[in-house]
Amino acid sequence: MKRKKNKKKLPIGLSDFKEIIEYDYYYFDKTKFIENILEERSKVKLFTRPRRFGKTLNLSMLKYFFDVENREENKKLFEGLNISKSEYFEKQGEFPVISISFKNYNKNDWESGFKSIKSTISDIYAKFEYLMEHLNKRDLKKFEDIWLEKDEGDWERSLLNLTKYVFDYYGKKVIILIDEYDQPIINSYIKGYYSETIDFFKSFYGSVLKDNEYLEMSVITGILRVAKENIFSGLNNLEVHTILDSEFTEYFGIMEDEVEEALKDFNLEYELEDVQKWYNGYLFGDTKVYNPWSIINFLKKGRLRPYWVNTSGNGLIQLYLEKLKNEIFDEFSRLLNKENIFETINDSMTFGNLEANFEKNIWNLFFHSGYLTLAKKNDEDEEEVYLKIPNEEILKMFSKMFIEVYFRDSNNFSKFTNALKSGDIEKFKFELNKILLENTGIFDISGSYKEQFYHGLMLGLILKLRNEYEITSNGFAGKGRYDLLLKPKNILNKLTGREGIIFELKILNIKSEFSFEAIHEKLEKECEIALKQIDEKEYSSVLRNAGVKKILKIGISFLGKEFEVKFEREKEIY
C-alpha cells in the first residue's frame, strides 16, 4: 500500500520518516509494524536484517510515532496510513524516546573508535539539554561529563543514566531505539581491535537493557547476530527476529505485490520479469522479499543494474573470502554456476566460533548478510539447508569477487575485454592465455577443474563490459541453456551494429600422460562440439529476437591452464 499513487519523487538515500512523508516521497506503508511490536509484548526486540533493508527508516518511524515531544505535529505524519486505522493508534505520542545510531561508524583503531562513540552519545545528550536545569548537583555533574565528552564520564552507563534523567522529567518509562548496534563490533573485527570494542559494548548495552526499571521497551536493529558475544548475557526479556523467521518479514524489504504496484505507478510494469530476475530471490522465513534499495533505485533510474552491492559494507565478506579461498573453492564455483549448496545455518554463531571453524561458519555470515538466501522453504528447526545466490545483482558481485580473490592484477584485464568487444579473437586468445599463465596458482586449488570454475572465471572477466552489454549466464534460449551471452545495449546496437556474443564452454578431463599436441587436438575438437551445440540448440534466437543483426559464436575448451578457442560469425541479417 502506498500513501498516494503516481508520486514520482523517490527517497533514495533518505531514512528520515518525517522528511519522506512531509515532502511527499513515494512510501511503502510499513506502519502496521508498530501494531505488531506492541502486540508482541517482549521488552527488548532485536531485528537482524541485511543492510539497506529498511531498518533505519523503521526505527525513524517508531520514533516519530511514540515520542511525547511534538506529539500533535507528529500525529499528522500518520494520517491515512495503516496504523491510523488501528486500535493501537492511541499509543501515539505516549512515551519519551531515546534514539541512537551507529550505522556510520568506521574507524581504524580503538582510540579513534572510542572517540567516535563518545561523540555519538554526547550528541544524544545534547538533544536533552533542557533536562539539566531539573537535575540535582550529582546528576548534573554526570550529565555534563557526557555532554562535554570528558574522559572521566561514565560512558559505559551513559545510556542507562539518560533513561533515568528522562524518566524523572516526564514521569513515564522510556522507549530506546538502537540502530545498527553491531556496526562498531563488525568494523573493529575487520580492523583488528575487536576485544576493546566488545568489552565496552557488553557493559554499554547490558546496563541499559537488563533490569532497567526506567525502560518501557527497546527495539534494536543490526546486520548480524554473530556479534552478540554475550552482549545481551542474562537478558531474559530479549526477543530476536532474524531472516529465518516468518514473523515481521513484510516490514523489512518490499513484498512482491508492492513491487508490482510500484512498477505500474512508474509505467515500468513490462519490466516485472526482469526485475524479478535481478532483485528478487530472497526468502525470509517463508516469504519472498525484494531488496528495497535496489527497487527504489530501479524505479528512479529505470535501468537494471547492481545498486545494493555497489554500496559500502562488503568488508567482512571480502575478508573471509580471502581467508578461505582454497577451502571454499568448490562451493563458491557451484554458486557462480547458479547451483545450490547444502550447509548448516543457525542464529547462534559468534565471532568466536567463526574464528574456530571458518569453513563451516562462513556460510552463516554470507546468509545473514544477505549475500545468500534459502533455495527453498524450510522448517525453522532445521539447521541444514540449501542455499543459493538470490539474484543477478548478487551473482555479478560474487563473480567480480571471484576474480579479485583468485587472480592478481584484475584491473589489467582491459586488453582482454577490448579484444572481445572488437571481435579480435586472436588478441582475445592471447590475452586469455596471459591471464592464465600469470595466475598459475589458481590451478593448485583443486585437482579437478570443473565447469563452474571456468564459468566463474569467464563471467568475472567479461563483467567489465556490463556498461556496454547486458550480460547473462546459464540463460534459456532456443532449445536449451547457453553458458554466457552478451547482448549489446540498445543504443550501442543501433549506433554501431555491435556484435552479440554467445559463449559455450567445454571442460576436458584427460590424463596428463597425453602429449601437448594430443591435448590441444582434443581441445580443438571440444571447441567444434561447442559451436555445433550453439547452432543445434538455437541459442542465437534470443539475440535475433532482440534485434541484434551480427552474432559472434565462441567455443572455448579448457584443461587446467591449457585451452583452445574457435569461433564463427553468423550471416548478418538486415
Side-chain angles (χ1 to χ4, degrees):
M1 292 291 294
K2 265 71 63 178
R3 196 167 168 78
K4 186 169 64 178
K5 279 193 174 186
N6 297 320
K7 294 189 296 184
K8 298 302 180 185
K9 290 187 296 185
L10 286 151
I12 295 176
L14 299 181
S15 54
D16 183 86
F17 179 79
K18 181 178 181 180
E19 182 178 1
I20 288 172
I21 298 303
E22 286 190 336
Y23 286 90
D24 205 28
Y25 283 96
Y26 199 80
Y27 176 62
F28 295 92
D29 190 345
K30 303 294 182 180
T31 57
K32 195 172 171 59
F33 178 52
I34 300 166
E35 177 180 305
N36 284 181
I37 63 171
L38 288 170
E39 287 180 338
E40 191 204 39
R41 304 299 302 165
S42 59
K43 192 89 167 180
V44 182
K45 304 165 179 64
L46 170 61
F47 295 93
T48 62
R49 291 296 188 277
R51 56 195 173 86
R52 299 190 183 276
F53 266 75
K55 301 188 297 294
T56 301
L57 178 56
N58 278 344
L59 287 196
S60 174
M61 174 185 71
L62 295 181
K63 178 185 184 302
Y64 286 110
F65 181 82
F66 285 116
D67 204 348
V68 68
E69 287 292 307
N70 302 313
R71 176 180 179 178
E72 292 305 316
E73 179 183 342
N74 291 340
K75 185 175 184 179
K76 297 175 184 177
L77 300 175
F78 297 90
E79 291 177 356
L81 296 175
N82 288 334
I83 190 60
S84 67
K85 307 176 185 70
S86 168
E87 61 182 293
Y88 290 97
F89 195 52
E90 64 184 26
K91 296 289 185 180
Q92 188 272 325
E94 284 292 308
F95 303 96
V97 176
I98 298 173
S99 180
I100 187 168
S101 175
F102 293 104
K103 66 180 295 185
N104 294 321
Y105 181 96
N106 183 20
K107 298 298 178 182
N108 291 323
D109 54 66
W110 175 240
E111 183 179 358
S112 59
F114 188 41
K115 184 177 181 180
S116 173
I117 292 166
K118 289 195 294 185
S119 179
T120 298
I121 299 170
S122 174
D123 288 345
I124 302 302
Y125 266 63
K127 293 179 181 179
F128 292 92
E129 182 181 349
Y130 57 87
L131 297 178
M132 287 195 289
E133 61 184 87
H134 302 278
L135 298 176
N136 61 43
K137 189 173 182 179
R138 180 171 180 268
D139 287 340
L140 179 60
K141 172 66 167 59
K142 289 183 177 181
F143 191 104
E144 288 182 335
D145 285 347
I146 302 299
W147 181 48
L148 299 174
E149 299 184 42
K150 293 183 177 180
D151 291 340
E152 61 266 31
D154 187 358
W155 294 100
E156 291 183 347
R157 292 169 56 88
S158 57
L159 197 54
L160 170 64
N161 290 336
L162 185 57
T163 62
K164 176 185 180 301
Y165 308 148
V166 172
F167 173 81
D168 288 344
Y169 179 82
Y170 287 101
K172 294 184 175 184
K173 288 188 176 183
V174 181
I175 289 178
I176 296 178
L177 307 175
I178 305 174
D179 190 28
E180 305 289 11
Y181 87 99
D182 54 354
Q183 175 57 25
I185 301 164
I186 294 171
N187 178 263
S188 67
Y189 183 77
I190 296 170
K191 303 292 177 61
Y193 60 98
Y194 169 76
S195 59
E196 296 97 329
T197 308
I198 200 70
D199 285 346
F200 172 80
F201 279 107
K202 279 181 183 179
S203 298
F204 180 75
Y205 289 134
S207 65
V208 72
L209 298 176
K210 183 180 178 182
D211 302 325
N212 182 354
E213 61 183 301
Y214 312 111
L215 181 66
E216 172 68 23
M217 175 178 67
S218 180
V219 181
I220 307 167
T221 71
I223 298 171
L224 305 171
R225 199 183 173 186
V226 295
K228 72 171 192 174
E229 304 292 5
N230 295 321
I231 286 176
F232 307 125
S233 176
L235 195 64
N236 55 16
N237 59 355
L238 173 67
E239 187 74 24
V240 181
H241 299 281
T242 73
I243 56 178
L244 285 169
D245 302 334
S246 298
E247 195 174 7
F248 294 100
T249 294
E250 66 267 34
Y251 306 119
F252 297 91
I254 302 178
M255 304 299 102
E256 189 151 71
D257 61 330
E258 294 176 320
V259 172
E260 290 181 10
E261 188 172 346
L263 293 176
K264 291 178 183 177
D265 289 346
F266 287 84
N267 300 315
L268 292 168
E269 52 191 307
Y270 69 93
E271 300 275 9
L272 178 60
E273 185 176 340
D274 288 333
V275 171
Q276 290 172 332
K277 182 172 69 173
W278 266 82
Y279 307 121
N280 193 10
Y282 290 98
L283 196 60
F284 291 176
D286 58 2
T287 305
K288 288 183 178 180
V289 179
Y290 287 76
N291 183 319
W293 179 260
S294 299
I295 291 298
I296 291 171
N297 274 276
F298 171 70
L299 293 174
K300 171 76 172 178
K301 299 173 183 176
R303 296 174 58 198
L304 292 163
R305 52 169 295 183
Y307 294 109
W308 181 69
V309 298
N310 288 334
T311 59
S312 61
N314 296 331
L316 196 58
I317 299 298
Q318 192 81 34
L319 176 68
Y320 277 99
L321 281 178
E322 292 286 353
K323 284 187 175 184
L324 293 172
K325 66 180 183 180
N326 292 358
E327 290 82 353
I328 66 169
F329 174 82
D330 285 345
E331 290 88 349
F332 197 3
S333 298
R334 294 210 319 268
L335 288 168
L336 288 174
N337 207 36
K338 295 188 176 179
E339 297 178 15
N340 301 336
I341 59 174
F342 191 61
E343 302 294 342
T344 301
I345 298 297
N346 58 60
D347 287 335
S348 58
M349 187 179 71
T350 67
F351 275 123
N353 60 34
L354 182 60
E355 287 283 354
N357 195 339
F358 282 133
E359 187 174 351
K360 177 181 177 181
N361 285 307
I362 190 172
W363 307 114
N364 261 303
L365 178 63
F366 285 4
F367 174 70
H368 288 288
S369 300
Y371 296 97
L372 296 177
T373 192
L374 298 174
K376 59 181 179 180
K377 297 178 184 178
N378 74 299
D379 189 305
E380 289 186 13
D381 296 327
E382 293 179 3
E383 291 192 349
E384 291 188 322
V385 299
Y386 286 98
L387 300 175
K388 67 174 184 176
I389 292 176
N391 49 47
E392 286 293 318
E393 185 176 34
I394 306 299
L395 176 64
K396 284 177 169 49
M397 183 207 75
F398 269 124
S399 296
K400 182 175 181 291
M401 283 188 172
F402 183 89
I403 296 299
E404 292 173 349
V405 169
Y406 291 104
F407 291 83
R408 300 189 307 271
D409 301 323
S410 61
N411 291 326
N412 295 329
F413 295 160
S414 57
K415 292 180 180 178
F416 170 86
T417 52
N418 286 337
L420 178 61
K421 68 183 182 181
S422 66
D424 187 344
I425 301 303
E426 286 304 314
K427 179 68 171 174
F428 166 85
K429 183 177 178 180
F430 174 80
E431 294 297 335
L432 179 57
N433 183 57
K434 190 163 66 171
I435 290 168
L436 295 179
L437 287 175
E438 290 176 355
N439 293 276
T440 54
I442 61 172
F443 299 104
D444 297 329
I445 293 171
S446 175
S448 59
Y449 306 116
K450 300 177 182 179
E451 183 173 355
Q452 296 97 308
F453 167 75
Y454 292 102
H455 190 104
L457 165 64
M458 294 304 299
L459 179 58
L461 291 173
I462 65 177
L463 279 175
K464 288 183 172 292
L465 296 173
R466 62 181 173 269
N467 291 331
E468 301 170 60
Y469 295 86
E470 293 177 20
I471 299 170
T472 54
S473 65
N474 287 314
F476 286 100
K479 301 174 183 177
R481 294 180 67 162
Y482 53 78
D483 281 327
L484 295 166
L485 184 141
L486 289 75
K487 183 175 74 173
K489 293 193 173 178
N490 285 338
I491 187 67
L492 284 172
N493 187 28
K494 291 176 182 177
L495 294 179
T496 68
R498 182 168 288 181
E499 291 177 318
I501 306 170
I502 302 171
F503 283 95
E504 185 62 31
L505 311 180
K506 298 294 180 184
I507 312 305
L508 192 61
N509 290 301
I510 61 174
K511 296 180 180 179
S512 58
E513 61 193 41
F514 282 86
S515 67
F516 177 84
E517 291 77 12
I519 288 173
H520 278 266
E521 183 179 342
K522 291 180 180 295
L523 286 170
E524 287 181 352
K525 287 182 179 179
E526 288 296 313
C527 288
E528 292 169 0
I529 292 171
L531 291 175
K532 185 177 180 181
Q533 180 176 327
I534 293 173
D535 289 336
E536 289 181 347
K537 298 292 187 180
E538 300 178 10
Y539 295 155
S540 300
S541 61
V542 68
L543 292 172
R544 294 291 185 209
N545 292 338
V548 178
K549 293 180 170 54
K550 295 190 290 187
I551 297 175
L552 173 61
K553 300 174 291 187
I554 301 176
I556 309 182
S557 58
F558 293 94
L559 174 64
K561 59 185 176 181
E562 302 295 336
F563 71 98
E564 283 292 345
V565 178
K566 285 188 176 292
F567 68 97
E568 291 177 357
R569 284 185 165 89
E570 285 193 4
K571 185 178 179 181
E572 189 170 345
I573 296 177
Y574 293 94

